[in-house]
């Protein structure tokens, strides 16, 4: 059986079964990040995520942007736990024919990415490989009680996001399927893919607010993120407001696409998707507004373990569908 | 200019220039490991090193052995700092056609490697790639004052190792150049490549002894490790006893090779190469003997910044020669 037959999620289950679990881990095994308790109330937070040129770098993206994105991918997972990244390491695989200029551009991208978030590049390793492989590792330190969890959503909580969705879906349609868009719209949409942002400040203020019951980043797409939250918290969601970006809406209108589907079934958006206690929604809004972010209420948590949204008075399911590394083409 | 023209060392210098350095790092940038101070006397130690199937996995090595070796590569760098590894993460790149069985074997190798050293696998990530890429990351925690340094060797110190060299050189001659050896010798030599050991306990007791002035692991070969120690400590070495393994000696005799060259210019041996204050050599010996390891005295530190050994009353230089990821063929 090949891994493309069982997919990334099936594979991760197989992988998890092979390991004995460290006692006393503050966060479950194979969550968005790994945590090790320091025994004094603090925990070390670690995350590793790999960017592979062939599969993860769309056309038009520069080396600098790709390396910066490798930082963002890793920092976004710290962000959704409410953790400030402090340091970054990279193991770099390079074909022998790579130019020194290319490596310098890659390093500039790493440096840019880490310094945007007040972190530092503290080490790494270079190797020969068949393709450019940027394997990143993020480090942060956090008060153990402040780590945002995946599994704490309760019926009645409000489902929220830090931003709108659908721009990366539209951008990938432009990049991979040659969809057209006006120059201005095209640039805005591509920017979402080339220069993403990790919501680090947003995650930190949400963590401090004490209002958040569960949180995840949306790097696998909104739909998959919602399904992951549901599975971890053993609940469901009723969406009443799918957060479609205005630019994605314009793109959808032009191409007669369903804007809700662009928003649900995309990926690499790095927004935070989280649930808030009904009684504390004002605290969460206030916390986010202090870092210039508008909280978007998109639904409610329900006991029934399904995820639905209403369209033309018909209730429709949010499918478990999005990016899979091994089943995509 | 391609990276194969400037080599791995030239490349690392170019890379280092691109980054702003984190203030207060307990260990210099781009040392064997990266360290972040916790502010309470402890430091977090991090190391990332990548194993690429095409270039790093010799024929006959199983998936399990390769994954275990990825752990050893990373833990060896913690060992030479005197640090107990506590946790390991792996970002794994896999071609789509990889079988689930292969991934399970890889995971078994990771689990075996980490548990041998009382550490745990705490997380990771899977990705599609052109080749099997195992990017490992080791985590340890240490008393900041106990970190073994590269740069503390002083003239008069004794140069030592935790073991003998040359077996991996011989094994690579068997694997890459079809050299012959008797069944028994062949098995012993290949074991050095397939099932290496990281000298974790050895590094920890040396650190506790307070006798060690500088230390490095020998993953790039004895000669390169000696040159790295010299550069960091601004000294030189006079070798009086090149530590050739008995099996390497046998292999050299059979093939009329220079056993000293096998020992000096190999790689992937993961022994510790370190210097000890003359007045504390007994403490260092005693510390190592407590973990079943014999300290080998191989030379002395000298002020003159050259590395030499004596053969047939002639003083010969130890060349800066060994494994380079980008200049090898």
């Amino acid at each position: 059986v090949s891994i493309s037959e069982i997919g990334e999620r099936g594979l991760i289950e197989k992988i998890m079964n092979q390991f004995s679990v460290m006692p006393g881990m503050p966060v479950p095994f194979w969550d968005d990040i790994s945590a090790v308790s320091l025994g004094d109330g603090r925990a070390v937070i670690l995350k590793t995520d790999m960017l592979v040129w062939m599969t993860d770098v769309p056309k038009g993206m520069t080396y600098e942007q790709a390396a910066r994105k490798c930082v963002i991918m890793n920092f976004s997972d710290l962000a959704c736990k409410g953790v400030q990244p402090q340091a970054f390491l990279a193991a770099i695989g390079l074909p022998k024919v790579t130019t020194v200029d290319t490596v310098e551009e890659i390093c500039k991208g790493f440096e840019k990415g880490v310094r945007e978030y007040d972190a530092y590049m503290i080490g790494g390793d270079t190797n020969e490989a068949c393709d450019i492989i940027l394997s990143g590792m993020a480090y942060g330190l956090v008060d153990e009680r402040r780590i945002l969890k995946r599994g704490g959503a309760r019926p009645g909580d409000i489902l929220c996001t830090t931003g709108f969705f659908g721009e990366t879906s539209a951008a990938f349609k432009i990049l991979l399927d040659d969809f057209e868009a006006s120059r201005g719209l095209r640039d805005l949409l591509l920017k979402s893919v080339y220069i993403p942002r990790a919501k680090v400040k947003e995650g930190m203020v949400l963590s401090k607010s004490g209002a958040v019951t569960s949180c995840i980043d949306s790097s696998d797409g909104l739909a998959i993120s919602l399904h992951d939250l549901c599975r971890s918290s053993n609940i469901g969601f009723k969406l009443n407001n799918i957060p479609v970006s205005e630019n994605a809406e314009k793109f959808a209108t032009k191409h007669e696409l369903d804007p809700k589907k662009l928003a649900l079934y995309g990926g690499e958006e790095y927004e935070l998707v989280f649930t808030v206690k009904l009684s504390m929604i004002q605290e969460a809004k206030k916390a986010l507004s202090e870092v210039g972010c508008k909280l978007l209420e998109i639904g409610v948590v329900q006991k029934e373990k399904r995820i639905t949204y209403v369209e033309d008075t018909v209730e429709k399911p949010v499918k478990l569908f999005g990016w899979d590394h091994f089943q995509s083409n």
Side-chain angles (χ1 to χ4, degrees), chain A:
Chain A
V1 186
S2 82
I3 55 175
S4 60
E5 288 169 72
I6 65 167
E8 194 169 0
R9 285 165 175 261
L11 185 65
I12 287 171
E13 271 179 41
K14 295 271 182 194
I15 288 175
M16 287 178 57
N17 289 334
Q18 302 293 329
F19 299 114
S20 42
V21 175
M22 185 182 233
M25 282 180 82
V27 171
F29 190 55
W30 220 277
D31 199 310
D32 292 301
I33 51 88
S34 306
V36 183
S37 176
L38 287 172
D40 60 2
R42 294 182 295 173
V44 161
I45 304 296
L46 300 170
K47 170 69 194 183
T48 182
D49 201 353
M50 184 184 271
L51 185 140
V52 177
W53 207 265
M54 179 182 67
T55 46
D56 297 331
V57 178
K59 67 181 173 199
M61 187 176 227
T62 66
Y63 293 107
E64 188 176 317
Q65 286 170 342
R68 182 185 166 282
K69 184 165 181 173
C70 177
V71 175
I72 303 304
M73 281 159 41
N74 282 285
F75 282 7
S76 178
D77 281 305
L78 266 61
C80 78
K81 296 298 181 192
V83 178
Q84 166 68 41
Q86 295 187 4
F88 189 77
L89 293 92
I92 307 170
L94 298 165
K96 272 188 200 180
V97 296
T98 312
T99 67
V100 175
D101 286 352
T102 297
V103 179
E104 287 183 340
E105 274 190 64
I106 288 171
C107 291
K108 282 199 178 81
F110 283 137
E111 172 74 3
K112 198 167 188 171
V114 298
R115 297 304 299 140
E116 276 175 39
Y117 295 92
D118 293 325
Y120 289 93
M121 181 82 175
I122 60 164
D125 174 54
T126 57
N127 304 273
E128 190 195 341
C130 48
D131 190 8
I132 297 181
I133 314 268
L134 308 179
S135 185
M137 211 282 303
Y139 161 84
L141 198 61
V142 70
D143 180 339
E144 224 169 286
R145 296 161 308 174
R146 283 271 179 251
I147 303 172
L148 294 174
K149 303 260 153 71
R150 267 197 197 179
R154 296 290 168 264
D157 288 353
I158 310 290
L159 178 63
C160 312
T161 67
T162 49
F164 296 96
F165 288 77
E167 297 196 357
T168 56
S169 295
F172 283 119
K173 287 200 179 290
I174 293 171
L175 290 167
L176 305 177
D177 303 326
D178 292 322
F179 277 60
E180 291 183 354
S182 68
R183 181 66 185 272
L185 182 60
R186 184 187 158 91
D187 287 351
L188 283 169
L189 293 172
L190 293 187
K191 200 180 157 195
S192 71
V193 168
Y194 293 154
I195 315 173
R197 272 190 56 217
K199 301 299 165 86
V200 170
K201 276 187 204 158
E202 291 81 350
M204 287 177 68
V205 295
L206 285 175
S207 158
K208 285 200 192 99
S209 76
V212 171
T213 54
S214 71
C215 188
I216 194 168
D217 86 333
S218 58
S219 54
D220 292 330
L222 180 55
I224 288 189
S225 304
L226 293 173
H227 277 277
D228 281 338
L229 277 184
C230 282
R231 202 170 44 173
S232 298
S233 294
N234 213 20
I235 46 86
F237 293 124
K238 185 174 241 165
L239 275 64
N240 48 38
N241 172 30
I242 293 178
V244 185
S245 112
E246 215 173 294
N247 294 322
E249 190 90 48
K250 273 186 210 163
F251 182 84
T253 306
K254 181 179 159 72
H255 294 286
E256 295 181 358
L257 296 167
D258 181 349
K260 292 192 176 69
K261 284 189 176 150
L262 286 183
L264 284 169
Y265 305 115
E268 307 201 350
E269 273 154 321
Y270 309 110
E271 295 294 343
L272 304 182
V273 182
F274 55 100
T275 55
V276 175
K277 281 177 214 149
L278 180 57
S279 62
M280 293 191 76
I281 191 76
Q282 292 311 322
E283 282 86 343
K285 281 185 184 171
K286 191 162 165 277
L288 280 182
S289 74
E290 276 163 16
V291 294
C293 175
K294 189 167 158 28
L295 178 147
L296 302 178
E297 295 182 44
I298 72 164
V300 290
V301 179
Q302 61 184 9
K303 209 167 56 192
E304 297 73 29
K305 290 172 208 165
R306 57 176 189 269
I307 311 178
T308 56
Y309 66 105
V310 174
E311 190 168 50
D312 306 331
T313 72
V314 183
E315 199 167 48
K316 295 185 172 182
V318 172
K319 291 176 202 154
L320 179 59
F321 174 73
W323 179 255
D324 188 302
H325 270 115
F326 300 112
Q327 294 184 319
S328 62
N329 286 303

